[in-house]
Amino acid sequence: MTEPMVATFDLVKSFAVRRGFFAQRKSRLVAVDRVTLTINVGETLGLVGESGCGKSTLGLTLMQLYEPTSGQVRFDGKDLVGMPPAQLNKVRRKMQMIYQDPYASLDPRMNVEEILTEPLVIHEVGSRQDRLAEAQRLLDVVGLPGDALGRFPSEFSGGQQQRIGIARALMLQPKMLICDEPVSSLDVSVQAQILNLLRDLQAEFGLTYLFISHNIAVTRFISRRIGVMYLGRLVEIGPSAAIVDNPLHPYTQALIAAVPDPHPSDIHRQRKLSGDVPSPIDRPTGCAFHPRCRFAASFDEERCSRVEPQLRALRPDHAVACHFAERITAQSAPATHNPTPKVA
Ligand code: SF4
């Protein structure tokens, strides 16, 4: 069996924070909490959740841009945690990132040629001619004209800037792209173009994607599997169609209910989330979702508030962290028709 492109085991990333009026109290903010997952070669794994759920921190920790607090990260057959910096630098060339705000991610003082060739200069790859030829080739691949090389980021639209960001990510011929909200800042009409471009590039270059987004509709469009994060933990993971059409976790149900629907059903309204995300510094005990869960009171509130549910497989390739997922699924059976989110 082929080894996955990425495998994490019990990955934790926490940060020391100071609290109180005079910042006298020390606490730990656990942004990524014991996450175990795999991403297969050539696959797109979508990662969804509200802002602050830890999905971007997970992406940065995978790349070792944040040093993991504990746990393991395997990428392309190699253990990254504790790897010597020089070796890590070489491995990291094969894992690149696409950012949410394309303009902020491009240096406004550099022209497109300088932006695209910079990674090759840093890693001392090829001659100047080779770098230029590669930049021209990739501009064509992402659908920009060759004369873009001499222009500056501010001369392009948001969608074109994101194409430049994608071309730059491809310059070192990566095996994997971590796409962190790559279309969230773009007009709806441009989002589909960028998503289609990412799909075409994956087919052409055999790329593996981690696609991070707060938008489950967009994530379903591009992902084969989806993982759902809440307060740093993975609470559900499975095939995209199963996650969206028949979610097992009340939080996933609520995320799907949050997709705008011009004719919301009663079930759709019931599933909507109430309350704010608790602070990751003061994590609720037991199931972290219990203060917002519409089932906690009717099932066994004490168990929900005291015992932390573990991720367990309920169906082949579909796991959920909820004590009562079977009962919730049975209750939800007549209402499994969720509005299918569409990418405009
Ligand atoms: Fe809700 Fe309890 Fe399941 Fe948590 S374990 S999602 S609180 S029913």
Side-chain angles (χ1 to χ4, degrees), residues 249-251 287 289-290 293 295-296 299 304 309 321-325 328:
H249 197 284
Y251 179 59
C287 174
F289 187 58
H290 84 262
C293 180
F295 293 101
F299 287 167
C304 290
C322 169
H323 297 307
F324 302 105
I328 291 169

Side-chain angles (χ1 to χ4, degrees), residues 4-18:
M5 181 61 74
V6 170
T8 71
F9 180 71
D10 265 353
L11 187 63
V12 175
K13 179 62 201 171
S14 64
F15 301 90
V17 289
R18 285 188 169 272

Side-chain angles (χ1 to χ4, degrees), residues 47-51 55-56 98-102 162 178-186 210-215 218-219:
L47 209 51
V48 297
E50 293 164 288
S51 293
K55 48 194 192 311
S56 295
I98 299 172
Y99 298 92
Q100 173 174 0
D101 182 345
Q162 195 54 296
I178 295 180
C179 310
D180 189 1
E181 302 270 11
V183 297
S184 321
S185 65
L186 303 177
L210 176 66
F211 189 90
I212 297 167
S213 176
H214 66 279
N215 185 328
V218 163
T219 309

Side-chain angles (χ1 to χ4, degrees), residues 36-38 40 43-48 216 219-220 222-229 234-249 252 311-321:
T36 297
L37 56 76
T38 57
N40 295 319
E43 174 185 54
T44 301
L45 175 71
L47 209 51
V48 297
I216 204 162
T219 309
R220 181 193 185 165
I222 196 160
S223 307
R224 195 179 78 75
R225 288 186 302 136
I226 294 177
V228 182
M229 283 187 77
L234 207 51
V235 296
E236 185 165 2
I237 186 164
S240 299
I243 292 282
V244 175
D245 296 337
N246 198 4
L248 302 176
H249 197 284
T252 315
L311 203 60
R312 61 198 171 95
L314 223 68
R315 302 193 183 119
D317 205 24
H318 192 165
V320 62

Side-chain angles (χ1 to χ4, degrees), residues 17-131:
V17 289
R18 285 188 169 272
R19 308 167 73 196
F21 192 69
F22 297 108
Q24 73 280 38
R25 278 191 293 143
K26 288 183 191 167
S27 300
R28 285 210 86 73
L29 185 157
V30 182
V32 175
D33 191 7
R34 292 161 287 158
V35 170
T36 297
L37 56 76
T38 57
I39 311 175
N40 295 319
V41 176
E43 174 185 54
T44 301
L45 175 71
L47 209 51
V48 297
E50 293 164 288
S51 293
C53 71
K55 48 194 192 311
S56 295
T57 307
L58 176 59
L60 293 167
T61 312
L62 282 185
M63 287 193 78
Q64 307 295 295
L65 294 174
Y66 284 149
E67 188 182 345
T69 306
S70 62
Q72 295 171 9
V73 178
R74 251 181 109 68
F75 170 69
D76 199 19
K78 298 179 185 71
D79 287 318
L80 300 191
V81 181
M83 187 178 264
Q87 200 185 341
L88 183 61
N89 216 16
K90 275 190 190 156
V91 175
R92 222 192 255 135
R93 283 169 51 173
K94 297 295 168 195
M95 197 188 327
Q96 295 290 315
M97 197 139 190
I98 299 172
Y99 298 92
Q100 173 174 0
D101 182 345
Y103 187 66
S105 74
L106 304 173
D107 188 334
R109 296 160 304 178
M110 294 167 84
N111 66 22
V112 173
E113 179 187 331
E114 291 167 326
I115 289 169
L116 294 189
T117 55
E118 187 185 36
L120 301 184
V121 174
I122 291 170
H123 288 277
E124 300 177 349
V125 178
S127 65
R128 188 171 184 279
Q129 286 316 96
D130 295 338
R131 293 170 195 151

Side-chain angles (χ1 to χ4, degrees), residues 128-138:
R128 188 171 184 279
Q129 286 316 96
D130 295 338
R131 293 170 195 151
L132 190 59
E134 186 62 359
Q136 259 162 345
R137 182 181 80 83
L138 284 173

